[in-house]
Amino acid sequence: MGMQVQYTYAYLGDDDGNSYVVERKYIGSMTGGLYIMCDEFGALSLRPETSQSARGELRRFSSPELRRWSEPVLQRTREGVAPRDERPLTVELTDTSVLWDEGDLLHLEGVPGALGVQGYAPMPTDPWFYSEYPCRVSGTVLGRPCRGIMVVETGYWRHGVEPKEAKFFTELEHSFNAFGNLLDDGTMQWGTLVRGSRGMCVAAVVEDLDGVGTVVLSNNELDCRYRIEESGQIHYAQQESAGQVWEYRSDKTGHMDDFEASRWDGYGSMAGITTLRGDPRKVEFGYGWFEYFRDRIPADKRITD
């Protein structure tokens, strides 16, 4: 397997109580632009400023110490070639720092957590491997002060296959919950809970406190039950593994309406909060991505009461 895709994305909150999800995807040195989603108007919709983000080929640099995407290629050419309102882009990742700068659209700086998570499905013809590591960040989004969790995600599978062409997306996936919490004792928590057909499961949760990492959950079994609303959205899921129950909760304000519309095959996408049942710590900031294919969820895994 070779590296086929990388993402940087972040869950952010501002001082007015608005929540944001920002995401950028990289395939090689190419990127399709920055998704900027905000819930201030009743759903987690794309902001119009999305259209001002850089697209196309970037200058990429990789070494054992640094990974960087920067200098959108068309912005290096004469005036009038790149869109006049297109913003700059620099993303720098090291072992001790992260920087994500897109001018007045987004500016985040922070530090990686002590641990990340990995998931692997050793399918003979379509193997699938994901790695993620979270970072505490602060900065601005659309000029508004914010803080939250940024994630660097890397996918490995058969060469030449775009993520939405992979068997995981087209056939197997039931749900994928990637979530982060900042807790009142100073802990940053990050988890990935994946359930699919043919026994495909990933259950991994890690924590970071003062640079010390803890593995909370690492298991290849996961039982998920979902409450599907009349709208087709999923506002609640109970995800159980190794005696732990992780509960995802959302409402219509977490519906990624525009992002969902850009996908196919019955794809659904929400943002919400996922927490461990019985954990006495309070969540100071929490958010997470919950994507799903509701038509693939078996009847006995649907909560109806």
Side-chain angles (χ1 to χ4, degrees):
M1 292 186 295
M3 183 177 69
Q4 301 303 313
V5 67
Q6 288 194 286
Y7 299 88
T8 51
Y9 57 96
Y11 309 138
L12 306 168
D14 69 19
D15 294 339
D16 294 325
N18 298 311
S19 297
Y20 304 81
V21 174
V22 293
E23 184 212 46
R24 184 175 279 279
K25 172 183 174 182
Y26 315 84
I27 296 182
S29 62
M30 303 295 290
T31 183
L34 174 69
Y35 285 90
I36 309 172
M37 293 176 271
C38 181
D39 68 353
E40 62 184 324
F41 299 119
L44 198 68
S45 303
L46 280 173
R47 292 280 308 205
E49 293 88 348
T50 292
S51 66
Q52 299 169 1
S53 63
R55 293 170 173 76
E57 186 178 359
L58 308 174
R59 183 177 181 181
R60 185 175 64 161
F61 174 81
S62 297
S63 74
E65 296 79 28
L66 172 68
R67 187 163 188 83
R68 180 195 295 124
W69 293 274
S70 64
E71 300 180 51
V73 167
L74 288 182
Q75 292 183 15
R76 296 171 57 89
T77 63
R78 68 182 187 276
E79 184 177 354
V81 174
R84 290 182 179 274
D85 61 352
E86 187 174 273
R87 301 308 198 260
L89 169 63
T90 299
V91 177
E92 293 185 347
L93 312 172
T94 75
D95 288 343
T96 58
S97 66
V98 294
L99 167 68
W100 186 355
D101 181 68
E102 305 210 22
D104 57 3
L105 299 182
L106 182 70
H107 181 90
L108 300 176
E109 297 184 38
V111 295
L115 295 173
V117 303
Q118 297 178 343
Y120 178 46
M123 296 177 284
T125 57
D126 287 280
W128 175 94
F129 179 86
Y130 252 79
S131 72
E132 302 166 334
Y133 70 87
C135 311
R136 301 170 189 259
V137 293
S138 61
T140 59
V141 56
L142 303 178
R144 305 168 183 175
C146 65
R147 70 163 185 152
I149 297 175
M150 170 183 162
V151 182
V152 180
E153 184 173 278
T154 306
Y156 301 80
W157 44 76
R158 188 161 49 90
H159 178 68
V161 177
E162 200 273 337
K164 295 183 292 299
E165 299 168 352
K167 183 172 288 188
F168 172 72
F169 184 95
T170 61
E171 296 182 20
L172 298 178
E173 182 183 0
H174 293 181
S175 63
F176 192 131
N177 187 195
F179 65 91
N181 295 310
L182 299 177
L183 305 177
D184 63 355
D185 66 349
T187 296
M188 176 176 65
Q189 187 179 73
W190 178 258
T192 299
L193 303 173
V194 181
R195 179 70 223 198
S197 302
R198 294 169 48 189
M200 185 173 186
C201 301
V202 177
V205 182
V206 296
E207 292 184 348
D208 171 272
L209 179 61
D210 299 326
V212 178
T214 301
V215 177
V216 178
L217 175 64
S218 179
N219 201 281
N220 61 0
E221 294 184 1
L222 180 68
D223 182 55
C224 296
R225 298 178 183 275
Y226 312 86
R227 179 174 292 122
I228 303 175
E229 307 297 319
E230 289 185 6
S231 64
Q233 299 171 18
I234 295 180
H235 292 177
Y236 176 82
Q238 179 179 296
Q239 304 168 101
E240 184 171 358
S241 180
Q244 300 178 16
V245 178
W246 293 85
E247 295 179 292
Y248 149 81
R249 292 181 172 87
S250 186
D251 58 34
K252 63 182 182 180
T253 65
H255 183 219
M256 298 183 184
D257 51 358
D258 294 317
F259 190 89
E260 179 178 303
S262 72
R263 301 298 188 263
W264 46 86
D265 287 342
Y267 175 91
S269 195
M270 303 285 298
I273 297 177
T274 300
T275 56
L276 176 62
R277 182 183 291 176
D279 190 337
R281 297 171 296 180
K282 294 182 179 179
V283 177
E284 293 187 342
F285 174 79
Y287 220 39
W289 198 304
F290 191 92
E291 66 177 37
Y292 53 89
F293 291 83
R294 55 185 166 268
D295 294 340
R296 299 177 191 168
I297 296 173
D300 63 347
K301 299 299 180 183
R302 299 178 180 224
I303 299 171
T304 57
D305 56 359

